[in-house]
C-alpha cells in the first residue's frame, strides 16, 4: 500500500497535511504538481477537483484536507488528532474557513502580493492572478478588506497568545485544531512583511516552533506518472464506511459533487457510498483504471445527473 500526496511547496493546506503525515510517522510519496491549473494528470485521478492538496492511497483519492486528515488518522490508528471532539473540530473548521481568509487577504494585499506570487508561482504573475481569479469566480466567500483582516488577526493572535497554557492548543499533544490554525499562520510567516505581524505574540511564536518541529516525516520524491501507474496497478477497493442515505439519492446514481465555497468545479461519478463523513464516487479512465474518489459531506453539494 502506498500513500501519495499531490501538492506544491507553497500550499498552506498542503503544509497542514505534510505535518500530519510527519506527526503520524507515515511513509509517503511526494508528487509535485503545478501551483496553477491546468493539471491534466491529476485530473485523471480526481475527475477535475480544483484544489490542493490531494491524497492518494493506492486507487483511493481523497479531496479536501478535512477528510484527508481524518483518513490519515484512521489509517495510522491514531487516537490523539480527534481526541477533543466537536469543539476542536469546530476550531479546525474556523481556521480552515475564516482564519485562512484573513491570512490570504494579508498575503494578497498590495504591499505583499508580489512577494506572495513569487513564492507560490515564480515568474508567472499574470497567469497566477488569472488562475486565482478563476478559482474564486462565483465564490460564496465574503470579501474582506486588508484593514479588516489586520484588525481581525490582531484580535485572534492576542486571544491565542493569552490562552496558550499547554504545549499545544488542547493539551500536551497536537490535535486537528493545531494543524489547521498552524497552516494559516505558516502562510503568513512565509512573507517577511507578514511574518513581522506574528513577532509580538511570543507564546504563539513558541507554539509555532513546536508545530514546525514536527516536520514532514519519511517522504520520497515521486512523480505524476508513477502515481497514475500505481492507481492503475492496484485494485480499487471500497473502504468500509458507516452508511448514511440522503433524500433523493440512491447508490448507483450518477452524481456530481461540487465544493460550495470556491473552486466550484464538479466531479462526476457513480455514487458508491455515503457516510456521515464522506461522499464516495467511482470513476474509470484508460490511464487510471477504476479509482474511488472521496469528498467530505460538509462544504460540498451532491446532485444527481439526469440522463
Ligand atoms: N477546503 C480545502 C481548501 C484547499 C485550498 O484552498 N487549497 C489552496 C492551496 S493552499 C488551493 O487549492 N489553491 C488553488 C490551487 O492550488 O489550485 C481543503 O481543506 O483542502
Amino acid at each position: 500500500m502506498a500513500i501519495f500526496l499531490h501538492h506544491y511547496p507553497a500550499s498552506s493546506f498542503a503544509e497542514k497535511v505534510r505535518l500530519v503525515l510527519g506527526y503520524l510517522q507515515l511513509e509517503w510519496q511526494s508528487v509535485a504538481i503545478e501551483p496553477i491549473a491546468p493539471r491534466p494528470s491529476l485530473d485523471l485521478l480526481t475527475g477535475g477537483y480544483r484544489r490542493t492538496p490531494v491524497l492518494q492511497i493506492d486507487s483511493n483519492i481523497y479531496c479536501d484536507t478535512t477528510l484527508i486528515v481524518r483518513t490519515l488518522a484512521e489509517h495510522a490508528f491514531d487516537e490523539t488528532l480527534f481526541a477533543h471532539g466537536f469543539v476542536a473540530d469546530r476550531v479546525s473548521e474556523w481556521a480552515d474557513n475564516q482564519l485562512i481568509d484573513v491570512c490570504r487577504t494579508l498575503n494578497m494585499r498590495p504591499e505583499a502580493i508580489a512577494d506572495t506570487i513569487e513564492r507560490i508561482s515564480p515568474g508567472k504573475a499574470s497567469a497566477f492572478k488569472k488562475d486565482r481569479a478563476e478559482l474564486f469566480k462565483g465564490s460564496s466567500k465574503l470579501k474582506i478588506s486588508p484593514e479588516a483582516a489586520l484588525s481581525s488577526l490582531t484580535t485572534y493572535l492576542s486571544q491565542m497568545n493569552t490562552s496558550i497554557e499547554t504545549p499545544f492548543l488542547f493539551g500536551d499533544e497536537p490535535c486537528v485544531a493545531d494543524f489547521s490554525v498552524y497552516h494559516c499562520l505558516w502562510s503568513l510567516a512565509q512573507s517577511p512583511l507578514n511574518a513581522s505581524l506574528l513577532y509580538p505574540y511570543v507564546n504563539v511564536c513558541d507554539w509555532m516552533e513546536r508545530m514546525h518541529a514536527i516536520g514532514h516525516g519519511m517522504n520520497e520524491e515521486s512523480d505524476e506518472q508513477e502515481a497514475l501507474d500505481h492507481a492503475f496497478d492496484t485494485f480499487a477497493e471500497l473502504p468500509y464506511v458507516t452508511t448514511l442515505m440522503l433524500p433523493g439519492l440512491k447508490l448507483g446514481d450518477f452524481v456530481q459533487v461540487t465544493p460550495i465555497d470556491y473552486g466550484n468545479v464538479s466531479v462526476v461519478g457513480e455514487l458508491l457510498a455515503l457516510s456521515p463523513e464522506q461522499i464516495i464516487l467511482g470513476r474509470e479512465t484508460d490511464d487510471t483504471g477504476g479509482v474511488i474518489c472521496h469528498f467530505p459531506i460538509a462544504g460540498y453539494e451532491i446532485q444527481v445527473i439526469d440522463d
Side-chain angles (χ1 to χ4, degrees), residues 222-236:
S222 179
D223 60 35
E224 293 184 306
Q225 193 54 51
E226 204 176 327
L228 283 178
D229 291 346
H230 187 76
F232 191 86
D233 291 341
T234 49
F235 175 66

Side-chain angles (χ1 to χ4, degrees), residues 278-298:
Q278 53 180 305
I279 305 163
I280 306 183
L281 302 187
R283 301 180 39 262
E284 192 150 352
T285 75
D286 291 344
D287 303 82
T288 60
V291 289
I292 299 182
C293 298
H294 304 245
F295 301 86
I297 295 248

